[in-house]
Amino acid sequence: MSTYLIGDIHGCYDELRALLAQVSFDPQQDELWLTGDLVARGAGSLEVLRYVKSLGNCVRMVLGNHDLHLLAVYAGISRNKPKDRLTPLLEAEDADELINWLRRQPLLQVDNCKKLVMAHAGITPQWDLETAQICAREVEAVLASDSYPLFLNAMYGDMPNNWTPELSGLARLRFSTNALTRMRFCFPNGQLDMICKDAPDSAPPPLRPWFDVPGKISSDYTHIFGHWASLEGKGTPDNVIGLDTGCCWGGTLTLLHWETRHYYHQRSNREVTPIVDSLSPPLID
């Protein structure tokens, strides 16, 4: 059995299938980890969801900010932006089935045997592993419940940005969602900065990438994340691996074979044509 970890797919279905063909992926034998953001920007979001869902229990995935945004669009809470190319998915005959499957997926994966931790954006330095698991389960529970539209309506926003166990209700859920799916930079005390999207060497002081702020999770664990395509998988500590290499922007889709630590890449097979959408700024980037 092999363990394969793949960065943000963003609707790049053809590239996903070609990348898996490179390693002769066998869903009956292998395990596939996905860093989230399965949808949006690429043309094949519908095909990606159908395929990943069809793989069943061999998949260990997490939800990303664009996956959550899709749920909000489908629930009528946010607008369908042309640049996300989600219309074929939203209008598909099996859209209900796919959306209900998607909202029951986790935000955090932990494998204590492989010593792997995966979240779309990473793990805030303010959390230990137990707290991260508790907070992720709280968001997962409300997403899987009948009250999930209430949460989706309240998830947009940058505050609160500082963890305290006393956080409760929708504020606590929003913090957890931001920490797991949107975070890039932190202040030295671990407080989240939800504004800066620069490259690490261009961020204003005292901001630091979340993985450069000392955290509370044992260094025995390797952190797997996506979300930050401009990193191109570079510049992280040895036990932190970023797998988003910007396939939907004309870059590559990246796979890591965990047992051999060998990387495979599949270059985007399409030119990226900018779509101007001035009516709606990004709400959960």
Side-chain angles (χ1 to χ4, degrees):
M1 185 190 95
S2 290
T3 306
Y4 299 117
L5 304 102
I6 295 181
D8 301 19
I9 300 168
H10 275 297
C12 296
Y13 174 72
D14 292 339
E15 293 87 340
L16 172 64
R17 295 303 300 268
L19 184 59
L20 291 173
Q22 283 192 47
V23 296
S24 301
F25 169 68
D26 181 355
Q28 302 301 318
Q29 300 287 334
D30 302 326
E31 193 169 78
L32 181 63
W33 291 53
L34 303 174
T35 64
D37 277 1
L38 273 64
V39 303
R41 306 299 168 90
S45 291
L46 172 60
E47 291 78 10
V48 168
L49 286 194
R50 283 174 173 168
Y51 176 65
V52 174
K53 180 176 179 292
S54 75
L55 294 176
N57 293 333
C58 78
V59 173
R60 296 186 68 168
M61 62 168 283
V62 293
L63 294 173
N65 52 306
H66 283 276
D67 304 318
L68 293 174
H69 189 66
L70 166 63
L71 298 180
V73 170
Y74 196 74
I77 292 164
S78 192
R79 190 171 73 86
N80 177 22
K81 295 176 285 188
K83 65 182 179 182
D84 284 336
R85 296 187 172 101
L86 292 173
T87 299
L89 169 54
L90 296 169
E91 295 179 352
E93 61 182 14
D94 54 345
D96 277 342
E97 179 183 351
L98 293 170
I99 292 296
N100 284 324
W101 168 80
L102 188 66
R103 69 182 177 92
R104 288 174 169 83
Q105 301 309 304
L107 275 76
L108 179 69
Q109 292 282 358
V110 178
D111 191 311
N112 291 313
C113 294
K114 295 184 175 78
K115 295 296 182 182
L116 285 174
V117 177
M118 182 174 71
H120 176 64
I123 306 291
T124 169
Q126 296 185 319
W127 283 346
D128 57 25
L129 188 55
E130 180 182 7
T131 302
Q133 290 175 294
I134 290 170
C135 290
R137 284 196 296 264
E138 290 170 350
V139 179
E140 292 161 8
V142 73
L143 277 174
S145 74
D146 291 339
S147 60
Y148 76 95
L150 176 65
F151 161 70
L152 293 173
N153 191 50
M155 76 174 173
Y156 294 102
D158 296 340
M159 301 298 289
N161 67 342
N162 190 50
W163 170 252
T164 170
E166 285 70 42
L167 279 176
S168 63
L170 290 172
R172 181 180 172 105
L173 294 172
R174 187 186 303 117
F175 177 89
S176 298
T177 302
N178 285 341
L180 292 165
T181 71
R182 293 182 60 209
M183 170 186 68
R184 288 186 179 92
F185 290 98
C186 293
F187 292 90
N189 66 353
Q191 181 178 327
L192 307 183
D193 172 81
M194 303 306 302
I195 298 174
C196 183
K197 300 177 184 177
D198 295 340
D201 57 0
S202 302
L207 297 183
R208 299 165 63 183
W210 65 268
F211 46 76
D212 283 342
V213 178
K216 299 180 178 180
I217 297 178
S218 170
S219 59
D220 292 341
Y221 284 86
T222 297
H223 294 250
I224 306 295
F225 73 106
H227 184 56
W228 204 341
S230 62
L231 291 178
E232 298 180 339
K234 304 171 184 176
T236 59
D238 289 342
N239 69 328
V240 179
I241 299 174
L243 288 176
D244 184 3
T245 47
C247 187
C248 68
W249 305 112
T252 62
L253 192 62
T254 293
L255 177 151
L256 169 62
H257 183 199
W258 180 245
E259 286 75 19
T260 64
R261 306 299 198 271
H262 186 79
Y263 288 85
Y264 298 80
H265 305 279
Q266 181 67 40
R267 180 155 294 281
S268 173
N269 63 7
R270 63 176 62 86
E271 293 184 5
V272 178
T273 303
I275 297 178
V276 177
D277 185 22
S278 59
L279 297 178
S280 178
L283 295 176
I284 189 165
D285 247 343

